[in-house]
Amino acid sequence: MSRIAVVTGGTRGIGRAICESLRDDGMTVVANYAGNEEKAKAFTAETGIAAYKFDVGTHEEALEGCAKIASDVGPIDVVVNNAGITRDGTLMKMSYDDWHDVMRVNLGGCFNMAKACFEGMKDRKFGRIVNIGSINGQAGQYGQVNYAAAKSGIHGFTKALAQEGARFGITVNAIAPGYIDTDMVAAVPEPVLEKIVAKIPVGRLGHAEEIARAVSFLSSEKAAFVTGSTMSINGGQHMY
Ligand code: CAA
């Protein structure tokens, strides 16, 4: 039986690598995206993976988007909450909108997608939810009170929902990527990024595929005993 997986923010960066990895595992994969239609079309043309446009940070849109996927493709077995944005700036310069947008999309998106899919997973006695957190949610990061708070929230959300899902065959885990060579990290000013890379023991940025491999493992049938865990994949930058 081919499991159906939805990857939010799945047409670019880490999300795209996750889509491709789950597809290679034999799953039927659907990507979600919010903004860049052109890139989404190119993604579907290149990978054969369907892309559905909705804003995971808007409750009704996420519910409707998942309902549409379920009616077009089938019931959703695996959700990868990968969609995320940054609005970096020190607290003094950060607007309320910068705070709220990041909380709404990065953390609110996890809640909205879980609300949309958890009950069906419970009824079918199988589910895999993988939430993409961040090293910056574990360790904090100058200029990211919004992002660090949202990602830290994801780690708490994961542990709470894992307890609720366990008896229904639903596992809920998180991955905390370090700095990965995506557009998001490329937007960090060069001199700042150089200092960050200098602190990574492995001596380089990570690759999206290195995150995707772990998502594949956590989404697999055989990872049934792994729940409530956070896997840090950061080149040794943060150990605890
Ligand atoms: N610790 C202490 N002080 C720091 C600091 C740090 N880590 N970084 C900067 N400062 C200091 C600077 O030295 C400077 O001090 P002086 O004025 O005394 O020289 C002061 O703070 C202002 O620094 P900037 O010139 O950088 O300030 P800015 O307002 O121009 O920019 C910023 C602030 C936007 C936060 C910028 O520093 C920045 O982009 N930082 C990177 C943030 C980051 O890592 N984002 C990650 C994005 S990728 C991601 O989030 C993915 C993931 O999950 C890992």
Side-chain angles (χ1 to χ4, degrees):
M1 175 185 39
S2 174
R3 296 286 186 194
I4 297 173
V6 177
V7 181
T8 68
T11 60
R12 301 194 290 138
I14 293 175
R16 178 176 177 145
I18 293 170
C19 282
E20 292 179 327
S21 184
L22 294 178
R23 179 203 55 198
D24 295 347
D25 295 337
M27 291 193 192
T28 302
V29 181
V30 173
N32 145 269
Y33 71 103
N36 198 325
E37 205 138 336
E38 218 170 282
K39 284 229 166 109
K41 280 200 182 123
F43 163 83
T44 298
E46 285 159 26
T47 61
I49 296 171
Y52 282 65
K53 184 175 182 176
F54 57 91
D55 174 7
V56 294
T58 304
H59 190 65
E60 290 71 24
E61 272 194 46
L63 296 185
E64 282 164 22
C66 289
K68 181 148 178 43
I69 292 168
S71 87
D72 291 355
V73 186
I76 298 167
D77 302 304
V78 177
V79 172
V80 183
N81 284 310
N82 166 75
I85 58 171
T86 51
R87 299 281 185 272
D88 291 357
T90 54
L91 178 77
M92 299 274 277
K93 291 183 191 164
M94 188 177 288
S95 68
Y96 178 72
D97 283 349
D98 292 337
W99 163 263
H100 188 251
D101 285 350
V102 169
M103 295 302 287
R104 188 180 69 77
V105 173
N106 296 16
L107 183 55
C110 293
F111 175 81
N112 295 334
M113 291 298 292
K115 281 294 276 186
C117 301
F118 192 86
E119 196 172 344
M121 292 174 172
K122 171 179 170 276
D123 293 344
R124 294 186 302 280
K125 298 186 173 50
F126 178 89
R128 297 281 181 267
I129 298 176
V130 183
N131 301 315
I132 306 301
S134 169
I135 186 176
N136 294 347
Q138 299 171 307
Q141 169 61 38
Y142 187 100
Q144 281 200 313
V145 293
N146 51 1
Y147 187 90
K151 291 294 187 179
S152 192
I154 286 176
H155 296 304
F157 175 88
T158 300
K159 293 179 210 174
L161 192 60
Q163 294 179 29
E164 296 184 22
R167 65 198 161 113
F168 306 123
I170 304 171
T171 67
V172 188
N173 292 287
I175 290 176
Y179 283 72
I180 309 298
D181 56 2
T182 59
D183 291 349
M184 183 183 272
V185 167
V188 174
E190 186 69 35
V192 178
L193 190 57
E194 270 172 27
K195 282 189 198 150
I196 291 170
V197 174
K199 290 187 191 146
I200 303 175
V202 169
R204 62 167 174 85
L205 295 175
H207 306 310
E209 296 71 24
E210 292 173 310
I211 305 301
R213 283 183 65 80
V215 176
S216 270
F217 167 67
L218 292 172
S219 304
S220 67
E221 311 273 337
K222 288 190 172 168
F225 203 58
V226 184
T227 196
S229 74
T230 298
M231 194 184 291
S232 298
I233 306 178
N234 59 36
Q237 190 185 345
H238 178 62
M239 303 177 192
Y240 59 97

